[in-house]
Amino acid sequence: MSRFVVPIFLITLIFCVAASPTWAQDAETPAPAEEAAAAVEADTADAQEQLARPEEVNEPAGELSEQLEGIAKQVDDSETAKETSAGILTPIYLVAESLEFPAFHWLAFALMLSGVIGFALQLVIGKLVVFAHLGFSLREILSDLLSFVISLVGLVLTTQAAAQNSTFTQSPFAVLSASLLGLILGIMLYFWGQAQEVDAVKGRTAAAAQAKAREKK
């Protein structure tokens, strides 16, 4: 009996010794899981930092607007700036008060409308006529565009002032007659401007031809 017990005891002891490293490795397996969790936390922190970066980029724009507001406040609180502003506006106020009657607003409306019509035609039809004469001038286009915008703003402000300070807008006859006068003046302004641009194109063409003739000689 003892012969069988001793070999069994030895086999069991060998099995325990051989299995002990495997148990040790199984006990140490949570370490990679902890490393993975730490890596996930690091990635999350990096993502949060990247999301926070756009806010840092927008900070200079906010600081610039705050600086502009501070400068505007300083200018508004300055007595010199107030006196200068009053010196600019007071004569305009005096002229506006002296011209608060329907006839002035009638004439102002007609003139502003003539500018809108004349420069609008000049920008569309006038430039096509100039192109037909093989001419092009960016300065003329910008000049006509600026004049059109100024006339349009003036027409809006004139109508607003007339509605608040006179009976011009309350009279259909006054509005229609001023519109008719503005239409006539606008068409005349268009033909005058177109003739000037065509003459300018012809003059530039003749000057270029003379320059080429001189180079050939």
Side-chain angles (χ1 to χ4, degrees):
M1 182 76 178
S2 61
R3 293 179 182 178
F4 294 100
V5 172
V6 172
I8 293 172
F9 178 78
L10 292 175
I11 292 171
T12 303
L13 180 62
I14 293 170
F15 177 79
C16 292
V17 172
S20 60
T22 305
W23 294 345
Q25 291 179 358
D26 293 339
E28 294 176 357
T29 52
E34 294 178 357
E35 294 178 358
V40 171
E41 292 179 358
D43 294 338
T44 304
D46 293 338
Q48 292 178 353
E49 291 180 359
Q50 291 178 357
L51 292 174
R53 286 178 185 175
E55 297 180 357
E56 296 178 356
V57 173
N58 294 331
E59 287 180 359
E63 293 178 356
L64 180 60
S65 61
E66 291 179 357
Q67 291 178 357
L68 293 176
E69 290 178 359
I71 294 173
K73 185 176 181 181
Q74 291 178 358
V75 174
D76 291 338
D77 295 338
S78 175
E79 294 296 332
T80 303
K82 292 179 181 179
E83 293 177 357
T84 304
S85 177
I88 295 172
L89 296 176
T90 299
I92 299 175
Y93 287 150
L94 294 176
V95 174
E97 290 177 358
S98 63
L99 296 176
E100 288 183 356
F101 52 90
F104 170 75
H105 294 105
W106 180 88
L107 180 61
F109 183 88
L111 292 176
M112 292 297 103
L113 183 60
S114 68
V116 172
I117 294 173
F119 290 111
L121 294 175
Q122 189 69 19
L123 284 170
V124 180
I125 302 176
K127 295 302 176 286
L128 292 177
V129 174
V130 172
F131 291 156
H133 287 80
L134 303 178
F136 176 81
S137 177
L138 182 60
R139 290 180 297 178
E140 291 293 336
I141 294 175
L142 295 177
S143 177
D144 292 340
L145 180 61
L146 179 61
S147 300
F148 171 77
V149 173
I150 292 173
S151 299
L152 182 61
V153 173
L155 179 62
V156 174
L157 295 179
T158 298
T159 305
Q160 182 181 7
Q164 295 177 353
N165 301 315
S166 72
T167 59
F168 167 73
T169 56
Q170 300 175 5
S171 173
F173 173 77
V175 175
L176 292 175
S177 59
S179 300
L180 180 60
L181 178 61
L183 177 61
I184 295 172
L185 293 176
I187 294 174
M188 293 174 59
L189 179 64
Y190 156 67
F191 282 112
W192 180 55
Q194 177 183 321
Q196 283 189 330
E197 287 198 36
V198 171
D199 291 340
V201 171
K202 292 179 179 179
R204 288 194 294 267
T205 303
Q210 291 178 0
K212 289 181 179 180
R214 291 176 183 175
E215 290 179 357
K216 291 180 179 180
K217 293 179 180 180

